[in-house]
Amino acid sequence: MSARHFLDVTDLSARDLNQVLDLAEADIAKLGRPLADKGVALIFEKPSNRTRHSMEMAVVQLGGHPIFTRGEEVGFDERETVEDVTRILAGYHHAIAARVFAHSVLQRMAQVSSVPIINMLSEQSHPLQAIADVLTMRQELGGLNNKTVAWVGDYNNVARSLSEACALERMHIRLGCPQGYGASASELTRLQELGAASVEQHDSAVLAAKHAHAVHTDAFVSMGQESETEKRLHDLAEFKVDAKVMAAADSNAIFMHCLPAHREVEVSGEVIDGAQSRVVLQAHNRMHAARGVLAHLMGVTI
Ligand code: CP
């Protein structure tokens, strides 16, 4: 199958990533209408606010028609196989996007699809979020070159995709994660190989945030981890991003969170609702990022 897919940030080269960011910021009129009279299937096995709305609007802005379907209606491997669903939808649509429990479902879709498959979040990665995150940092930090990003908390799907994007942008990456919640040795090596200016992992939120230009975190309990709530809240309690953590960062540092957020759990109210927070811009950039990714997959260049 010759279609280009977007399952992970690393499906893009560093040059592709910058092209996607440029497409995301370009006037919509310059992109043409590459999805005119075309459909895009959006399948959600998990709830969503930002991803659904931003993807639907991005498809509309490129001239297309999004069709939302809940995971239980599709019934991957229950009602019919992942492969049968994909081959059929590929005959109706110009791209298929899915939010899934298992990343392997996306990989199986990509193996049989004649149209692009787009990851709208799996347990492994959240690449559309990462595009919006680096876009926001590029805008707010005056570029990404030689900038330092800190991730505080669980090195989860959002952290993994963000780190990959920051590595491609040759940024300095600082992780602050408790024992058992960090990146593996092979993941840290991979970030260096992708181009990160430096990679450090600490078991302290304050140390990770030191001199950072952007401090990111996410919910301590993600969708599908509800049965681990008590243990995760206990293990991650020291990793809340509060004024003390932000004080360790650069004096002009921004705070970022992919949302939804839990005030006084992973972030204090004064930080997420304070002057350093960019979470609303970050969420709004989800739409521009989605439009950039779709345009890139449709072969648009500027
Ligand atoms: N950040 C994010 O993916 O938000 P939703 O779960 O609301 O789509």
Side-chain angles (χ1 to χ4, degrees), residues 41 43 74 84-96 109 115:
I43 302 168
V74 173
D84 282 354
V85 171
T86 307
R87 287 191 194 99
I88 301 309
L89 291 180
Y92 306 147
H93 294 285
H94 229 51
I96 305 170
M109 294 173 81
V115 301

Side-chain angles (χ1 to χ4, degrees), residues 47-52 99 126 129 223 258-260 286:
S48 170
N49 177 17
R50 280 148 291 273
T51 306
R52 178 179 176 183
R99 168 168 286 200
H126 197 1
Q129 180 69 53
M223 287 180 280
C258 63
L259 306 179
R286 291 293 309 276

Side-chain angles (χ1 to χ4, degrees), residues 2-221:
S2 60
R4 278 191 282 188
H5 305 294
F6 186 59
L7 305 195
D8 284 297
V9 168
T10 51
D11 288 332
L12 303 174
S13 64
R15 188 180 162 158
D16 289 339
L17 174 56
N18 285 323
Q19 175 72 13
V20 167
L21 297 178
D22 291 343
L23 288 165
E25 287 193 315
D27 281 350
I28 294 174
K30 279 198 182 159
L31 304 179
R33 291 172 66 80
L35 290 173
D37 301 323
K38 307 275 199 278
V40 174
L42 307 178
I43 302 168
F44 284 85
E45 291 192 309
K46 298 181 181 187
S48 170
N49 177 17
R50 280 148 291 273
T51 306
R52 178 179 176 183
H53 284 269
S54 60
M55 278 294 282
E56 289 209 17
M57 287 312 303
V59 171
V60 168
Q61 289 168 345
L62 294 174
H65 182 88
I67 295 188
F68 166 87
T69 314
R70 293 167 65 90
E72 48 272 40
E73 292 173 81
V74 173
F76 283 134
D77 288 338
E78 288 180 2
R79 193 158 180 270
E80 55 188 321
T81 66
V82 169
E83 288 78 8
D84 282 354
V85 171
T86 307
R87 287 191 194 99
I88 301 309
L89 291 180
Y92 306 147
H93 294 285
H94 229 51
I96 305 170
R99 168 168 286 200
V100 296
F101 285 99
H103 194 77
S104 58
V105 168
L106 295 166
Q107 292 169 323
R108 287 169 59 194
M109 294 173 81
Q111 274 185 343
V112 300
S113 183
S114 56
V115 301
I117 301 296
I118 301 169
N119 179 1
M120 294 195 294
L121 180 144
S122 70
E123 89 288 13
Q124 177 174 303
S125 53
H126 197 1
L128 286 170
Q129 180 69 53
I131 301 298
D133 295 349
V134 290
L135 178 66
T136 306
M137 289 190 288
R138 189 169 88 159
Q139 293 168 342
E140 291 296 297
L141 303 179
L144 300 169
N145 188 33
N146 220 25
K147 295 292 192 300
T148 298
V149 62
W151 176 271
V152 175
D154 181 17
Y155 191 73
N156 63 7
N157 49 1
V158 174
R160 187 171 294 110
S161 292
L162 172 67
S163 299
E164 289 170 354
C166 292
L168 288 174
E169 293 291 351
R170 302 193 174 279
M171 295 175 73
H172 297 276
I173 299 171
R174 299 178 67 86
L175 308 175
C177 316
Q179 292 291 335
Y181 291 83
S184 66
S186 62
E187 285 177 311
L188 296 173
T189 303
R190 175 80 174 129
L191 293 176
Q192 290 281 192
E193 289 168 354
L194 286 173
S198 66
V199 183
E200 289 184 28
Q201 183 160 247
H202 302 275
D203 58 3
S204 153
V206 168
L207 269 181
K210 204 170 173 187
H211 305 313
H213 299 101
V215 179
H216 293 245
T217 192
D218 188 10
F220 289 164
V221 185

Side-chain angles (χ1 to χ4, degrees), residues 206-256:
V206 168
L207 269 181
K210 204 170 173 187
H211 305 313
H213 299 101
V215 179
H216 293 245
T217 192
D218 188 10
F220 289 164
V221 185
S222 296
M223 287 180 280
Q225 296 174 330
E226 291 78 6
S227 64
E228 304 167 30
T229 297
E230 195 177 336
K231 175 174 169 39
R232 297 179 70 84
L233 293 182
H234 171 269
D235 293 350
L236 288 150
E238 298 297 314
F239 288 77
K240 177 167 85 176
V241 177
D242 56 16
K244 192 171 117 196
V245 174
M246 291 305 293
D250 183 83
S251 56
N252 293 314
I254 59 174
F255 170 76
M256 298 181 66

